[in-house]
Amino acid sequence: MAAEQMATGGGDPGRVPPARPLDSIDHAILRILRTDGRASIRAVAERVHVSRANAYARINRLVEDGVIRGFSARVNHERAGQAASAYITLKIVQNSWRTVRDQLQALPGAAHIALVSGDFDVLLLVHTPDNQALRELVLTRIQAIPEVLSTRTLLVFEETDLGPRPDRPAELA
C-alpha cells in the first residue's frame, strides 16, 4: 500500500507529484513536438541524437508526468468557419471559480479559460461563426450564469500565432 501511495503521489488522487527536472534533450524534444506535433519518434530521435527507444521512453515520461498535456492542431479559425473571435473578461462571485469554469468549458467556441488577477477574475477566449453568434453567446449564455457579475467583450481584429518556429532554435519549450 505504501509503495502504491508513493507511486501515485501519496494517496491523494488530486495531488500532483512534484515535477521532475528536464534536461537539454527533454527541452529539445518539447521544441520539436511544439513545432511539429506529428513528428515521428524516429525523426525526433534523429534530431536529438538518441535511440528511438530512448526518444519513445522520454516522450511517454513527459506525457505521464503531465509536461505534455496532449497533441493538437493549430487551427486558422477564420478558415474553419469561426470568423469572430473575442476575449471576454468576467467578474465572478468570490469562490465560484470551479463552478464558473465548468460552465464556461461547456460553451461552444470556448478556446481558453484563465483565472487571473487584476480588474477582472476570468479571461475567456472564444471563437464563433459571426458577431451575431458572439452576441448570443455573451448575452444569452455567459451572462445567464448566476455567478457571473459582469462581462466585457474585446473583439479580436487580427491574430498572430506565436507558437514555436524552427527559426527560433534558442526558444525553450
Side-chain angles (χ1 to χ4, degrees):
M1 176 76 168
E4 281 179 3
Q5 287 181 339
M6 297 265 305
T8 62
D12 179 0
R15 185 172 158 251
V16 177
R20 291 186 234 186
L22 303 181
D23 63 17
S24 61
I25 294 173
D26 292 328
H27 283 290
I29 289 171
L30 290 173
R31 271 194 305 278
I32 291 165
L33 292 176
R34 286 185 71 203
T35 302
D36 180 7
R38 294 176 56 174
S40 68
I41 298 289
R42 188 179 112 241
V44 170
E46 288 173 0
R47 290 182 56 193
V48 299
H49 309 291
V50 298
S51 70
R52 283 190 302 224
N54 188 330
Y56 182 82
R58 283 175 176 267
I59 291 169
N60 276 346
R61 180 179 50 83
L62 291 167
V63 170
E64 288 170 5
D65 286 353
V67 175
I68 295 175
R69 298 184 302 178
F71 299 87
S72 63
R74 292 194 332 248
V75 176
N76 179 325
H77 295 284
E78 194 170 332
R79 293 191 54 96
Q82 303 290 303
S85 295
Y87 286 97
I88 303 168
T89 66
L90 296 85
K91 287 186 182 180
I92 61 174
V93 172
Q94 189 173 6
N95 297 322
S96 65
W97 162 242
R98 287 175 184 81
T99 301
V100 172
R101 179 192 58 204
D102 292 344
Q103 293 177 70
L104 295 176
Q105 285 175 332
L107 294 175
H112 182 84
I113 305 167
L115 177 66
V116 298
S117 64
D119 293 336
F120 48 88
D121 304 305
V122 177
L123 182 62
L124 170 67
L125 172 61
V126 297
H127 304 288
T128 61
D130 53 36
N131 283 342
Q132 180 63 33
L134 176 61
R135 179 183 182 281
E136 288 299 314
L137 183 71
V138 173
L139 298 180
T140 305
R141 302 283 300 270
I142 296 173
Q143 290 183 357
I145 298 171
E147 297 84 2
V148 173
L149 302 173
S150 67
T151 64
R152 176 174 283 168
T153 303
L154 308 164
L155 291 177
V156 174
F157 294 127
E158 183 176 317
E159 290 182 88
T160 301
D161 186 0
L162 297 179
R165 300 183 325 231
D167 61 334
R168 295 195 301 209
E171 180 181 315
L172 289 177

